[in-house]
Amino acid sequence: MSAPDTPNSDERFGEVLALIHNARQRAVQAVNTQLIELYWQIGAYISRKLEQAEWGDAVVSQLADYLARTQPGLSGFTRRNLFRMRQFYEAYRGDEKVSALLTQLPWTHNLIILSQSKRPEEREFYLRMAIREKWSSRELERQFKSALFERSVTQPAKVSAVLRQTHPDALEVFRDAYMVEFLGLPGGHAEADLHQGLLARLRDFLIELGRDFCFVGSEYPLQVGGRDFALDLLFFHRGLNCLVAIELKVGRFEPEYLGKLGFYLEALDRDERKPHENPAIGVLLCASKDDEVVEYALNRSLSPALIAEYQTQLPDKALLQAKLHEFYALNTAQGEEP
């Protein structure tokens, strides 16, 4: 008869459990690596046969039938998938920097990126983001629908000069707009609706913010000079090693909002920041903003802050793709000028 667990079993056996979990994760990753490498090799083989005119498309169909007949328990080798393997190989061959990333994602993720990306830069962007953020296939699909790549290229985050200096990596962390379509907010929602909605769907909001964000508190209390203040949302970013204060505004951005945000950041740095942490960052999350007004307001700001929009509906992806096309066309033209 086995002895029952004692109250401190988690502490006594936690390290062994961690070893088991880590071994399982490595085993799953090893299987995935082998699978992706197999698909790559098969794709390369089919590509060579077709390019050298040794095979026609009909032969690929015959291969799929042969595998189904001789290997009845083998799945994933239909005619369609075999052609996907060929496309997979041809999309990344010759690009060693990107092809090295492929085995870090499941085949489903690779297919989503391959089928929905319009250009090599977009494929690399989503490969790196999916690996870094550990997105599920569902979340990866959502980020494509939200046109994250197009927005990242054509609408970079609007940040103060102080933020660029104190946190040079912040531009890779923050965005110009955050999608909160999962809240289902009506058109005339109040700030309380937005606030409560984000708390109710905090997991989704953390995914949208990014993997390194950790929730600290809501209406976080700050006391200065005998007066009490409440910060809408407070997070900590592990990569930047700092507190991140988020103030919510359901209207358009107004320059005076920066003054209050700067006050909160000063209070956080003086009273809450730990010795090993970097200065706090402030985010004004507004329903809308005029980019020129934002530029003027941030230009003289002495706080590490940025202005971003929250959007309650997914954007018009076709419009953003058109802007992206104009962006690349303009940059190509400028690069060709003497």
Side-chain angles (χ1 to χ4, degrees):
M1 182 176 179
S2 60
D5 287 347
T6 58
N8 63 343
S9 290
D10 287 347
E11 296 179 7
R12 294 170 60 197
F13 308 135
E15 291 185 12
V16 175
L17 189 60
L19 290 173
I20 294 172
H21 287 326
N22 291 337
R24 284 177 174 173
Q25 290 175 356
R26 289 195 300 271
V28 170
Q29 181 59 47
V31 170
N32 181 72
T33 298
Q34 291 296 318
L35 186 65
I36 300 301
E37 289 178 350
L38 172 62
Y39 290 167
W40 176 273
Q41 292 167 2
I42 293 175
Y45 183 82
I46 295 173
S47 178
R48 287 195 301 270
K49 290 294 186 182
L50 293 175
E51 286 180 352
Q52 296 168 7
E54 296 181 25
W55 284 11
D57 288 358
V59 179
V60 180
S61 300
Q62 293 170 12
L63 172 61
D65 293 339
Y66 172 78
L67 291 174
R69 186 174 65 255
T70 61
Q71 306 292 325
L74 193 65
S75 62
F77 293 90
T78 62
R79 177 184 184 277
R80 183 181 181 185
N81 252 356
L82 290 173
F83 274 110
R84 282 174 170 170
M85 294 174 201
R86 172 205 177 189
Q87 182 188 8
F88 178 64
Y89 167 75
E90 292 179 350
Y92 298 110
R93 65 179 173 184
D95 192 343
E96 295 182 2
K97 179 180 67 172
V98 175
S99 61
L101 304 173
L102 304 176
T103 58
Q104 299 181 50
L105 291 174
W107 180 239
T108 302
H109 286 60
N110 276 300
L111 287 182
I112 292 171
I113 294 171
L114 185 63
S115 63
Q116 298 197 35
S117 297
K118 303 296 184 183
R119 57 181 70 241
E121 300 93 335
E122 184 177 8
R123 288 198 296 265
E124 181 177 354
F125 173 84
Y126 282 111
L127 282 168
R128 294 189 182 280
M129 288 295 294
I131 292 169
R132 188 183 83 183
E133 298 296 329
K134 300 189 184 303
W135 286 333
S136 65
S137 58
R138 181 179 178 182
E139 183 60 26
L140 177 58
E141 290 270 17
R142 175 180 172 270
Q143 294 298 343
F144 269 102
K145 291 177 182 177
S146 77
L148 179 59
F149 173 71
E150 290 87 347
R151 292 188 288 120
S152 298
V153 174
T154 62
Q155 301 170 359
K158 310 297 189 297
V159 306
S160 66
V162 175
L163 180 54
R164 291 177 184 272
Q165 295 168 2
T166 58
H167 302 80
D169 295 333
L171 289 177
E172 298 180 8
V173 171
F174 295 100
R175 304 176 189 170
D176 184 64
Y178 291 92
M179 300 296 134
V180 294
E181 83 289 348
F182 49 81
L183 297 182
L185 291 171
H189 60 272
E191 187 174 302
D193 299 324
L194 173 62
H195 196 155
Q196 291 304 314
L198 291 175
L199 291 177
R201 299 291 297 272
L202 184 59
R203 178 179 179 276
D204 295 307
F205 187 44
L206 282 169
I207 292 174
E208 176 65 8
L209 286 175
R211 186 170 180 80
D212 272 351
F213 280 90
C214 305
F215 181 64
V216 176
S218 167
E219 296 183 335
Y220 193 83
L222 296 171
Q223 189 175 61
V224 178
R227 294 180 56 185
D228 294 324
F229 300 88
L231 176 61
D232 285 342
L233 297 169
L234 184 62
F235 295 84
F236 185 84
H237 192 276
R238 295 170 59 209
L240 298 175
N241 189 34
C242 69
L243 294 167
V244 178
I246 298 183
E247 277 290 281
L248 306 173
K249 301 295 179 183
V250 295
R252 70 179 182 183
F253 165 71
E254 298 294 346
E256 54 264 32
Y257 295 160
L258 272 176
K260 186 176 182 181
L261 182 62
F263 171 80
Y264 286 155
L265 294 180
E266 184 68 17
L268 287 172
D269 283 344
R270 290 197 187 194
D271 304 327
E272 303 292 334
R273 178 163 66 106
K274 298 184 183 302
H276 66 277
E277 294 175 358
N278 293 321
I281 293 175
V283 180
L284 276 171
L285 197 56
C286 307
S288 64
K289 57 182 172 58
D290 182 301
D291 287 345
E292 190 171 4
V293 174
V294 168
E295 180 187 352
Y296 275 55
L298 289 175
N299 193 50
R300 294 296 181 93
S301 175
L302 298 179
S303 298
L306 66 138
I307 317 300
E309 284 183 356
Y310 70 88
Q311 297 182 1
T312 57
Q313 294 182 343
L314 293 176
D316 184 337
K317 188 167 183 177
L319 178 61
L320 285 171
Q321 286 177 340
K323 289 183 178 180
L324 182 67
H325 180 74
E326 293 176 4
F327 174 85
Y328 278 115
L330 179 62
N331 280 270
T332 300
Q334 290 177 343
E336 292 174 352
E337 292 178 0

